[in-house]
């Protein structure tokens, strides 16, 4: 590609980003986009979740579609909204340049009332490892290809930052933090893991776990929580951004999974007091 062609392409990209930022000047559109980023959603469900009148919602959806944020598909007579390609993650990647030290905000919205959180206990290992196995099977959650032993996980995870979510007394998800370095200067930097069983996905379990995880980190000696997420896992990216994670950058071809090179997005959340 010639330098002239690159300049034209860069200008076009900048124009697209500018129009997308401008489109989100209305907070309602940002809320709609965040919900769509978590996963495909029916228009009727979207109206119920946001409380926006159908006619007004239609105007917002048209504006988001015009700048390439969303696609509208008709499935069995029902209109379904989904994020178009990497539009959402591309915008968030650009946002770090505009405001890399923005205030940490929590935009998760309503949380489930039928999910109970508690500290992980010895009796939970079978359930935790079973959910881990499900996550590995998706191919979009981790580079790990086999479930580590309970002993290895116990050695890896910080003892005070292990949580499980239960529904009707059954473990349906878990969240943990692992140290990123043995050096004392990095003692407050940890990497998170959150997994939700397939049968419980879409019920807000991940939202509840992640919020509790970062709140617990904020009241401890942890000042930075980081995460590496496959770009294809838009739901996880949106979930992390909703509690204040920002995209630091993309690590291209960082490792192989199944013989294929994969990229990851690197995200971090800084404790509010560390931002000033």
């Amino acid at each position: 590609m010639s330098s002239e062609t690159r300049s034209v392409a860069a200008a076009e990209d900048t124009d697209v980003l500018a129009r997308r930022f401008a489109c989100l000047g209305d907070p309602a559109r940002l809320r709609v986009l965040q919900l769509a980023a978590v996963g495909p959603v029916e228009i009727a469900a979207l109206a119920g979740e946001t409380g926006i009148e159908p006619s007004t919602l239609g105007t917002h959806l048209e504006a988001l579609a015009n700048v390439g944020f969303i696609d509208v598909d008709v499935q069995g007579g029902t209109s379904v909204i989904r994020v178009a390609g990497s539009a959402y993650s591309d915008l968030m990647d650009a946002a770090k340049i505009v405001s890399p030290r923005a205030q940490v905000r929590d935009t998760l919205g309503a949380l489930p009332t039928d999910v109970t959180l508690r500290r992980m206990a010895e009796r939970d290992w079978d359930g935790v490892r079973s959910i881990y196995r499900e996550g590995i099977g998706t191919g979009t959650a981790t580079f790990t290809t086999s479930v580590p032993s309970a002993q290895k996980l116990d050695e890896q995870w910080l003892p005070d930052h292990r949580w499980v979510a239960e529904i009707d007394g059954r473990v349906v998800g878990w969240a943990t933090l692992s140290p990123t370095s043995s050096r004392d200067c990095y003692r407050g930097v940890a990497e998170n893991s959150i997994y939700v069983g397939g049968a419980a996905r879409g019920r807000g379990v991940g939202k509840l776990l992640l919020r509790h995880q970062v709140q617990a980190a904020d009241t401890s000696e942890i000042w930075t929580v980081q995460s590496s997420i496959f770009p294809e896992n838009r739901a996880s990216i949106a979930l992390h951004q909703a509690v204040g994670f920002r995209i630091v950058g993309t690590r291209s071809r960082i490792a192989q999974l199944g013989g294929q090179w994969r990229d990851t997005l690197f995200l971090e959340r800084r404790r509010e007091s560390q931002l000033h």
Side-chain angles (χ1 to χ4, degrees), residues 13-256:
D13 290 344
T14 301
D15 179 63
V16 169
L17 286 172
R19 289 190 291 112
R20 286 176 176 170
F21 275 118
C23 177
L24 297 181
D26 187 323
R29 291 177 189 166
L30 178 58
R31 178 62 177 148
V32 169
L33 183 60
Q34 288 175 324
L35 290 171
V38 173
V41 58
E42 295 182 4
I43 290 182
L46 195 59
E49 182 75 16
T50 60
I52 301 174
E53 291 294 326
S55 59
T56 304
L57 179 59
T59 300
H60 289 317
L61 293 176
E62 182 179 3
L64 291 168
N66 284 340
V67 294
F69 265 136
I70 63 170
D71 291 325
V72 181
D73 297 327
V74 178
Q75 300 178 359
T78 301
S79 295
V80 177
I81 307 302
R82 66 182 72 247
V83 168
S86 61
Y88 183 82
S89 57
D90 287 348
L91 180 77
M92 295 300 105
D93 206 3
K96 75 180 189 293
I97 301 172
V98 178
S99 55
R101 290 298 186 184
Q103 180 182 8
V104 173
R105 299 181 59 197
D106 186 327
T107 59
L108 280 178
L111 295 172
T113 58
D114 61 340
V115 182
T116 302
L117 295 186
R118 62 171 174 79
R119 289 186 179 274
M120 189 181 297
E122 187 74 23
R123 66 181 184 276
D124 297 321
W125 282 119
D126 286 346
V128 166
R129 294 181 72 244
S130 177
I131 292 171
Y132 199 172
R133 186 175 295 107
E134 285 188 52
I136 292 172
T138 66
T140 60
T142 178
F143 281 110
T144 300
T145 55
S146 61
V147 182
S149 66
Q151 179 181 351
K152 186 172 182 179
L153 293 174
D154 189 38
E155 294 171 351
Q156 175 182 332
W157 294 338
L158 292 172
D160 294 332
H161 295 274
R162 308 175 185 183
W163 314 96
V164 295
E166 288 184 327
I167 296 179
D168 296 330
R170 182 172 59 88
V171 174
V172 295
W174 53 267
T176 63
L177 291 181
S178 304
T180 61
S181 174
S182 59
R183 297 176 62 187
D184 184 64
C185 60
Y186 294 118
R187 66 188 180 281
V189 182
E191 184 165 8
N192 78 336
S193 294
I194 291 186
Y195 286 79
V196 177
R201 290 172 194 157
R203 299 184 59 173
V205 176
K207 293 167 61 173
L208 198 62
L209 280 167
L210 186 56
R211 174 179 281 179
H212 189 76
Q213 182 182 66
V214 297
Q215 288 178 340
D218 284 348
T219 57
S220 70
E221 294 186 351
I222 303 298
W223 60 74
T224 298
V225 179
Q226 65 186 45
S227 188
S228 293
I229 306 175
F230 291 128
E232 300 88 348
N233 196 348
R234 293 199 299 265
S236 183
I237 294 167
L239 182 63
H240 279 73
Q241 289 174 324
V243 293
F245 281 78
R246 68 185 184 95
I247 297 174
V248 178
T250 300
R251 297 192 290 186
S252 300
R253 296 168 62 85
I254 189 67
Q256 289 191 352

